[in-house]
């Protein structure tokens, strides 16, 4: 996809790698680009911070790829929904994005949009050892499983931690050099947990926020991390720390108090750090709900969904969509579906599970092993239950574009999403937004962050395969009236707490906290 106009047209896809990277996206045509140089733009009743400073977004992965072909250079988007919102904010207000390019080459700073530049992307340099130890090591084999409570999968080494510190320091130095007085820095996720403190030490004049896109573990699990106090103190360099849910926020406050000994005000959700006060909040991440609803109703998607349904030749379509990751409960999902087929022979030849597994982190050994286990489990179920042309399971190991994925959302009667632990699970919200006929049923793990919000879903314990089977039986037997009532309530929540609302609410809160912190930063204590 080429970006040649003065406005980005980015497609949204939530099942990509969680480094805020996926293929493509789009923005709604009615969200016209503003030439304003400030962020005083009220959306959903929330107003941005005062004018005078820029927004600086910092993430592990860059939102674009610079592709050279035929002697010419063009830009391809690599971001998903969250990144799309950041691009939109930066295009409107001006600013900066600091990120790793995702490859060996470190391009020169790049101005975007190409034909009418409004902001700049500055690329952090990572060498091969950085990528090995920081990204594949500490981030993927250490912090990722720890944040998802998967302690048997945790692998820690001092060498990898030292490299993690080095990369975070590199990002902080770029921010300190590039930032102008009054700028607002918004750091993303666990890859850059040390960066808020490292920036604070260099630039006390900046407002700093960080949003945690993954779960946050309870104190007992956080103690496993050998460098837990440094990790927590890194985060506490921010003025505002955002989590998806109240429970993750509570875990973090407990860690600050019981591991690091900081004074915590639970009523105000604040942590006292020297002369500074750090605010902690729950900001449930939303999706561009209008985009999914409009796309699901488009003639192309309707026709594609009809073709998928005809090819499956089944009465009920159950859909599971995830990155191939051990946190997603894909193996448990298949065991639950197998138990459903065992217990309900009357539904044989009437129901098919479509399992879409998006390739992810193929260089990490744990993921390669998961792929082998999944292939074996799929083969067993297909071999055991298939008969007379009926396939109980269709397994697709690939990544789809937004239109094709939404077609699967549209044709599915039931979404079966069973993560063992998930920060939010945006696929659940995408499915809901795509149910323009209000006729689908959402079965969701109680351990997904979205379960605290989407209470009208059928919530199940993914570790209990009998409960998954019972959830499926309840879904296939549910009356049309109950399906419509549940889906109407779910859609109201997804549309109210959309992606725009999330970003505006976080920035508005950060503006207030940053202003309050300016005086205290004069006495910042390390």
């Amino acid at each position: 996809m080429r970006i040649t106009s003065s406005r980005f047209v980015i497609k949204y896809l939530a099942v990509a790698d969680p480094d805020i990277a996926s293929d493509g996206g789009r923005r709604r045509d009615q969200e016209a680009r503003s030439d304003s140089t400030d962020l005083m733009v009220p959306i959903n009743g929330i107003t941005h911070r005062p004018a005078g400073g820029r927004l600086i977004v910092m993430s592990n992965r860059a939102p674009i790829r610079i592709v050279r072909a035929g002697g010419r250079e063009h830009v391809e988007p690599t971001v998903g929904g969250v990144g799309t919102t950041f691009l939109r904010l930066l295009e409107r207000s001006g600013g900066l994005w600091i990120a790793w390019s995702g490859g060996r080459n470190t391009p020169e700073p790049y101005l975007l949009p190409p034909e009418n530049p409004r902001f700049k992307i500055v690329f952090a340099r990572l060498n091969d050892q950085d990528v090995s130890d920081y990204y594949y090591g500490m981030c993927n084999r250490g912090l990722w499983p720890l944040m998802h409570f998967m302690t048997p999968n945790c692998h820690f080494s001092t060498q990898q931690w030292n490299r993690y510190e080095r990369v975070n320091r590199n990002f902080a130095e770029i921010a300190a050099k590039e930032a102008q007085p009054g700028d607002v820095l918004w750091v993303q996720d666990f890859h850059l947990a040390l960066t808020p403190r490292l920036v604070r030490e260099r630039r006390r004049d900046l407002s700093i926020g960080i949003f945690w896109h993954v779960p946050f573990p309870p104190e007992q699990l956080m103690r496993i991390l050998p460098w837990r106090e440094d990790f927590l103190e890194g985060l506490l360099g921010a003025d505002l720390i955002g989590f998806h849910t109240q429970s993750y926020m509570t875990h973090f406050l407990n860690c600050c108090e019981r591991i690091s000994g900081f004074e915590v005000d639970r009523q105000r959700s604040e942590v006292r750090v020297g002369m500074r006060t750090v605010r902690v909040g729950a900001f449930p991440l939303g999706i561009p709900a209008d985009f999914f609803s409009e796309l699901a109703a488009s003639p192309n998607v309707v026709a594609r969904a009809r073709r998928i349904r005809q090819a499956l030749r089944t009465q009920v379509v159950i859909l599971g969509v995830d990155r191939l990751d051990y946190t997603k409960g894909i193996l448990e999902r298949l065991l639950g579906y197998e138990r459903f087929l065992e217990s309900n022979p009357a539904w044989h030849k009437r129901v098919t599970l479509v399992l879409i597994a998006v390739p992810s982190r193929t260089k990490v050994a744990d993921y390669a092993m998961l792929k082998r286990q999944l292939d074996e489990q799929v083969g067993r179920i297909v071999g055991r239950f298939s008969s007379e042309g009926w396939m109980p399971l269709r397994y697709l190991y690939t990544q789809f574009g937004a239109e094709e994925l939404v077609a699967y959302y549209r044709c599915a009667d039931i979404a079966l999403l069973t993560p063992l632990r998930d920060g939010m699970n945006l696929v659940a919200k995408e499915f809901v937004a795509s149910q323009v006929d209000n006729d689908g049923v959402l079965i969701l793990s109680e351990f997904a962050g979205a379960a605290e919000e989407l209470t009208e879903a059928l919530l199940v314990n993914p570790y209990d395969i009998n409960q998954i089977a019972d959830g499926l039986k309840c879904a296939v037997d549910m009356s049309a009236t109950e399906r419509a009532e549940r889906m109407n309530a779910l859609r109201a929540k997804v549309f109210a707490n959309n992606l725009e609302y999330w970003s505006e609410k976080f920035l508005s809160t950060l503006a207030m906290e940053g202003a309050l912190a300016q005086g205290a930063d004069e006495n910042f204590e390390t």
Side-chain angles (χ1 to χ4, degrees):
M1 174 182 176
R2 295 177 64 87
I3 299 179
T4 56
S5 70
S6 62
R7 295 180 65 244
F8 280 104
V9 182
I10 311 284
K11 290 181 182 174
Y12 177 102
L13 192 62
V15 294
D17 196 86
D19 304 329
I20 312 181
S22 89
D23 49 359
R26 140 207 200 273
R27 282 179 303 178
R28 300 168 54 201
D29 290 339
Q30 60 264 42
E31 292 176 342
R33 176 178 175 272
S34 168
D35 289 327
S36 170
T37 57
D38 59 51
L39 288 174
M40 291 293 289
V41 182
I43 298 179
N44 295 314
I46 295 176
T47 303
H48 265 134
R49 63 184 175 84
R54 305 173 303 167
L55 175 63
I56 301 177
V57 175
M58 181 182 288
S59 64
N60 177 59
R61 287 288 182 93
I64 62 165
R65 289 188 299 267
I66 300 175
V67 180
R68 295 173 178 85
R72 299 188 64 183
E73 187 177 272
H74 69 276
V75 174
E76 292 182 352
T78 63
V79 299
V82 181
T84 304
T85 294
F86 295 147
L87 284 174
R88 179 175 175 276
L89 289 170
L90 289 171
E91 186 179 350
R92 184 176 66 201
S93 67
L96 184 68
W97 193 318
I98 302 170
W100 170 42
S101 68
R104 292 185 174 182
N105 296 328
T106 304
E108 293 298 313
Y110 205 87
L111 295 175
L112 292 171
E115 294 182 359
N116 183 21
R118 296 285 294 146
F119 67 96
K120 179 172 68 171
I121 297 182
V122 176
F123 297 95
R125 183 181 302 277
L126 269 67
N127 60 36
D128 289 345
Q129 198 62 49
D130 292 332
V131 175
S132 176
D133 288 340
Y134 152 77
Y135 181 65
Y136 288 112
M138 182 53 60
C139 289
N140 285 349
R141 303 188 72 225
L143 296 177
W144 175 262
L146 177 61
M147 294 301 119
H148 289 82
F149 308 7
M150 305 287 180
T151 55
N153 296 89
C154 291
H155 304 275
F156 298 119
S157 81
T158 301
Q159 174 179 316
Q160 291 174 357
W161 174 256
N162 290 340
R163 191 67 60 162
Y164 181 84
E165 286 184 311
R166 178 185 183 277
V167 171
N168 273 251
R169 190 174 298 110
N170 182 21
F171 272 82
E173 288 171 352
I174 295 172
K177 177 182 177 183
E178 294 283 344
Q180 299 172 3
D183 283 352
V184 171
L185 175 63
W186 194 357
V187 183
Q188 306 299 318
D189 223 358
F190 66 97
H191 310 85
L192 302 171
L194 306 182
T195 302
R197 179 181 177 87
L198 293 169
V199 173
R200 177 75 59 194
E201 291 171 350
R202 292 161 172 79
R203 291 293 301 273
R204 300 180 186 179
D205 59 313
L206 302 179
S207 295
I208 303 172
I210 182 168
F211 186 79
W212 208 249
H213 291 265
V214 294
F216 200 90
E219 170 222 346
Q220 295 86 347
L221 296 185
M222 192 65 197
R223 288 185 178 276
I224 294 171
L225 182 65
W227 312 276
R228 54 188 181 254
E229 293 189 22
D230 290 341
F231 191 83
L232 293 170
E233 290 173 9
L235 282 165
L236 289 168
D239 299 299
L240 175 64
I241 305 172
F243 297 94
H244 287 295
T245 69
Q246 290 284 341
S247 59
Y248 298 147
M249 186 180 80
T250 299
H251 290 167
F252 177 75
L253 292 173
N254 289 342
C255 289
C256 291
E257 182 178 58
R258 299 169 186 172
I259 293 177
S260 298
F262 289 111
E263 178 185 345
V264 172
D265 184 335
R266 296 179 186 280
Q267 187 172 2
R268 298 176 60 87
S269 300
E270 293 176 347
V271 182
R272 190 70 175 171
V273 183
M275 298 297 292
R276 299 174 54 246
T277 298
V278 179
R279 175 77 180 277
V280 181
F283 302 86
L285 179 59
I287 64 165
D290 286 341
F291 164 67
F292 280 97
S293 183
E294 292 168 9
L295 187 58
S298 67
N300 285 345
V301 167
V302 171
R304 189 187 290 264
R306 187 182 301 114
R307 290 195 298 271
I308 293 171
R309 188 106 194 179
Q310 290 170 348
L312 291 172
R313 294 184 297 175
T314 189
Q315 178 182 339
V316 176
V317 177
I318 304 169
L319 178 66
V321 182
D322 286 294
R323 286 185 313 104
L324 185 60
D325 192 290
Y326 52 77
T327 67
K328 299 300 183 180
I330 299 174
L331 300 180
E332 289 77 8
R333 183 178 315 163
L334 288 180
L335 291 173
Y337 179 60
E338 185 176 27
R339 180 60 51 85
F340 168 77
L341 294 176
E342 290 172 349
S343 305
N344 298 278
W347 280 96
H348 291 194
K349 302 181 184 179
R350 298 170 60 195
V351 61
T352 296
L353 170 63
V354 177
L355 181 66
I356 299 175
V358 178
S360 175
R361 297 171 180 165
T362 55
K363 296 181 181 180
V364 179
D366 290 338
Y367 290 78
M369 181 175 68
L370 175 62
K371 175 65 165 57
R372 290 194 298 271
Q373 293 172 329
L374 178 58
D375 291 346
E376 292 170 1
Q377 204 157 292
V378 167
R380 187 187 71 248
I381 293 173
V382 170
R384 181 181 177 189
F385 292 101
S386 296
S387 67
E388 299 178 2
W390 171 59
M391 290 285 287
L393 174 61
R394 296 293 178 95
Y395 170 41
L396 304 172
Y397 180 63
T398 187
Q399 180 164 313
F400 289 120
E403 186 172 288
E404 189 166 7
L405 180 61
V406 172
Y408 276 98
Y409 289 153
R410 178 70 192 267
C411 84
D413 301 288
I414 300 166
L416 180 60
L417 306 171
T418 55
L420 304 179
R421 184 66 58 178
D422 211 340
M424 178 51 67
N425 197 284
L426 297 181
V427 171
K429 295 189 174 186
E430 294 173 4
F431 172 77
V432 168
S434 301
Q435 295 302 299
V436 293
D437 295 327
N438 293 317
D439 198 39
V441 180
L442 173 62
I443 303 176
L444 181 63
S445 164
E446 62 183 291
F447 302 128
E452 294 191 17
E453 189 178 357
L454 304 181
T455 53
E456 291 78 14
L458 298 179
L459 301 181
V460 298
N461 180 348
Y463 292 93
D464 184 346
I465 63 173
N466 289 318
Q467 199 171 124
I468 295 174
D470 291 343
L472 285 168
K473 184 63 165 62
C474 180
V476 297
D477 289 340
M478 188 178 294
S479 69
T481 299
E482 184 178 355
R483 290 198 305 269
E485 289 175 352
R486 287 176 178 268
M487 187 52 65
N488 269 320
L490 290 170
R491 284 172 63 81
K493 291 179 177 179
V494 168
F495 277 80
N497 182 38
N498 62 18
L499 190 57
E500 280 287 318
Y501 181 84
W502 170 80
S503 63
E504 299 289 342
K505 185 177 180 182
F506 187 94
L507 286 175
S508 177
T509 306
L510 177 57
M512 292 185 290
E513 297 304 318
L516 292 172
Q518 290 304 309
D521 268 334
E522 297 299 323
N523 298 308
F524 176 64
E525 295 182 4
T526 59

